[in-house]
Amino acid sequence: LLCYKKSVCVYDVTYYFAHKFLKIGDRTIDQMVQAARSGKQNIVEGCSASTTSAETEIKLLNVAKASLKELLEDYKDYLRVRNLELWADGSDKHEQARRVCATHNESEYYRNAIEERSDETIANIAIILIKQTDYLIKKYFEFIKQDFLENGGIKEEMTRERLKWRSEHKNS
């Protein structure tokens, strides 16, 4: 899934950022890395659960979204308390970074690109990646919902199969 690929980018950028720009012993390091990890891992767990439970899949994807929202706030806090610029939607910097982030979904690209960037730039890139990941999860929710409405879940599938079997073996 594209939302998973983006979440890996978010994790890798966050891991680098937290260990490069936060002071050793700062609890925010662990909190940011764990929020990024939770976002990524819950997408994996949710998709794994999809074969048996759309409800579990949706719950885990909601956990992923919540973790990423928490991480988003950490980045915004970082910029605010250090009087660094949060790139406004529509600004030249934001739009340029948004376009680049929209076309790169491989974490290696970011791991290489961020080494030469400032904390302000990396934080803003992370914010954009988080927002893009959140959007992709939202679109995935819509897909899951539509699929459930059209096809039902595992219970409905099992009922259909059971009724089909009964019909085929009625006179046996």
Side-chain angles (χ1 to χ4, degrees):
L1 287 175
L2 191 52
C3 62
Y4 174 74
K5 288 181 179 184
K6 285 281 188 202
S7 73
V8 172
C9 298
V10 169
Y11 176 82
D12 289 353
V13 168
T14 299
Y15 188 90
Y16 175 85
F17 179 88
H19 289 93
K20 170 96 174 166
F21 297 109
L22 298 173
K23 292 179 182 166
I24 294 174
D26 186 340
R27 286 181 1 114
T28 309
I29 295 171
D30 290 337
Q31 289 172 324
M32 289 180 75
V33 171
Q34 287 307 312
R37 181 185 181 280
S38 177
K40 178 176 75 67
Q41 295 302 107
N42 279 289
I43 293 170
V44 170
E45 289 181 50
C47 292
S48 296
S50 70
T51 57
T52 56
S53 173
E55 180 183 359
T56 300
E57 180 180 21
I58 289 169
K59 284 180 181 178
L60 288 167
L61 288 172
N62 270 321
V63 172
K65 283 178 67 69
S67 294
L68 293 172
K69 293 287 187 178
E70 176 186 342
L71 182 59
L72 178 65
E73 287 304 308
D74 284 333
Y75 277 112
K76 288 179 177 180
D77 289 346
Y78 181 92
L79 293 171
R80 187 185 67 256
V81 300
R82 289 165 179 81
N83 293 317
L84 299 172
E85 180 184 5
L86 171 60
W87 299 342
D89 290 353
S91 70
D92 289 344
K93 288 179 185 179
H94 181 273
E95 288 306 306
Q96 180 182 1
R98 186 190 58 74
R99 283 190 301 274
V100 169
C101 290
T103 59
H104 292 283
N105 302 313
E106 57 288 332
S107 66
E108 183 179 0
Y109 173 83
Y110 296 98
R111 289 193 315 269
N112 292 329
I114 61 177
E115 289 184 12
E116 302 295 321
R117 305 297 190 274
S118 68
D119 56 344
E120 179 182 287
T121 299
I122 297 170
N124 278 286
I125 289 169
I127 288 167
I128 290 166
L129 285 169
I130 292 166
K131 288 179 177 181
Q132 289 178 348
T133 306
D134 184 65
Y135 173 80
L136 291 168
I137 293 172
K138 179 183 174 201
K139 297 305 272 181
Y140 187 52
F141 274 138
E142 292 170 8
F143 169 79
I144 294 167
K145 181 180 176 182
Q146 189 62 38
D147 184 58
F148 185 79
L149 290 173
E150 292 174 10
N151 302 307
I154 189 74
K155 290 178 185 176
E156 290 86 357
E157 183 180 333
M158 291 173 72
T159 300
R160 281 192 299 270
E161 290 299 316
R162 187 174 68 244
L163 292 173
K164 178 181 168 189
W165 185 87
R166 284 182 183 170
S167 172
E168 291 171 355
H169 295 86
K170 187 176 186 178
N171 297 328
S172 300

